[in-house]
Amino acid sequence: QTVRWHIELQPWASPTPSLNYEASRFLKYISTSQISCEHMNLNSLKGYSKTTKKPWSVCLDERFSLIHRIRSKQCRLYSLGLGSDDRQFELGMASSGCEVHRFDPSARAAHGQEGPRLWYHRLSIDWRDPNPAIAARGLHASTKKLATVLNEFGHQKIDVLKADVESAEWKILENLILEDVVEQIGQLVFEVHIHWPGFEVSGNDSTVVRYWYSLLRELELKDFRLFHTYKDLSKPQVFLKKEAFNASSCYTLSWVNTRWK
């Protein structure tokens, strides 16, 4: 298998690069469901009654594997976050039968258990592994790629990957696509931040938006379909530091891998 170093960039949205055209295409794309999902609420699961502060929507329709894997207690959720105090989604998934792993670099211990099916790890999932020189000196490596963690934990598949990683999501998503790790994931629920380019994303504004759009199109090529978009109106309504395009700085996007039946 050939190693990919870069994603395929989509053609510009207009004959000459234009932020207006790029922003319009991107925002329309993230606001348009590609597949319908009838059952997205955890309240429909046995033993779950709380409402979450934020709609972390997963698709529980019968035609996809998640609901069946929850029922057979074979479901696995990875939650990537930074010191989040809102754990209702994770608790709900654990109480309905999922094995839940929460990755948070601010966790109080390297590894621990919070409940019967809920574990936490003092780790930050990154788009690269730590510098070998640091590892060689025996220093605690607190960042790892998802592929490395899956390998170390002996996990082949993740039913749901939830990520709220404060603007690291673009490079993490790129890494998952380039290394084909997305094919081991059933559903993605990502909070995306568009008030600035994101960590280690460079270029002028139109180039950045074209890159974001191209990343999401790569997901589509991997048979992921967007089924829910939540526009967070509680956050500043800013797009690349501009109050423009009627955009929020933060959206929560949910995709299902249609190959996983």
Side-chain angles (χ1 to χ4, degrees), residues 54 56 63 76 110 152 155 169 207 212 219 243 258:
K54 213 174 257 178
W56 298 102
R63 62 191 167 134
R76 180 178 294 128
E152 289 178 0
H155 293 162
E169 64 274 357
T207 302
W212 290 343
L219 275 182
E243 291 181 14
T258 55

Side-chain angles (χ1 to χ4, degrees), residues 133-149:
I134 293 174
R137 293 208 303 273
L139 298 174
H140 176 65
S142 61
T143 65
K144 289 180 180 175
K145 291 191 299 189
L146 188 63
T148 305
V149 172

Side-chain angles (χ1 to χ4, degrees), residues 51-218:
T51 53
T52 53
K53 294 180 190 173
K54 213 174 257 178
W56 298 102
S57 297
V58 288
C59 190
L60 299 166
D61 285 5
E62 296 284 340
R63 62 191 167 134
F64 299 119
S65 65
L66 181 59
I67 188 64
H68 306 288
R69 290 175 67 82
I70 287 174
R71 286 180 190 141
S72 61
K73 304 282 192 279
Q74 292 181 307
C75 156
R76 180 178 294 128
L77 163 73
Y78 273 27
S79 171
L80 320 183
L82 300 168
S84 172
D85 56 353
D86 179 12
R87 297 182 198 156
Q88 291 301 338
F89 178 74
E90 290 79 355
L91 291 167
M93 292 294 275
S95 70
S96 58
C98 276
E99 171 193 328
V100 177
H101 294 272
R102 207 166 56 76
F103 297 88
D104 182 351
S106 67
R108 57 190 176 276
H111 300 282
Q113 205 163 347
E114 291 180 291
R117 303 180 70 85
L118 183 57
W119 287 265
Y120 66 85
H121 311 279
R122 189 171 58 207
L123 262 181
S124 173
I125 302 298
D126 203 358
W127 55 93
R128 62 206 152 189
D129 280 329
N131 185 318
I134 293 174
R137 293 208 303 273
L139 298 174
H140 176 65
S142 61
T143 65
K144 289 180 180 175
K145 291 191 299 189
L146 188 63
T148 305
V149 172
L150 285 169
N151 200 31
E152 289 178 0
F153 285 20
H155 293 162
Q156 299 297 316
K157 290 188 169 184
I158 306 169
D159 292 279
V160 180
L161 177 65
K162 173 204 171 196
D164 179 4
V165 288
E166 306 302 335
S167 300
E169 64 274 357
W170 299 110
K171 293 301 283 186
I172 290 172
L173 197 53
E174 180 186 59
N175 170 255
L176 299 183
I177 290 167
L178 292 178
E179 297 194 355
D180 289 329
V181 181
V182 287
E183 292 168 13
Q184 295 169 256
I185 300 168
Q187 298 194 24
L188 293 168
V189 191
F190 267 58
E191 189 170 278
V192 300
H193 303 85
I194 59 177
H195 58 292
W196 70 295
F199 292 110
E200 293 199 12
V201 177
S202 58
N204 62 24
D205 286 354
S206 54
T207 302
V208 166
V209 184
R210 180 196 187 198
Y211 164 76
W212 290 343
Y213 173 73
S214 300
L215 262 183
L216 302 188
R217 287 299 304 272
E218 288 254 1

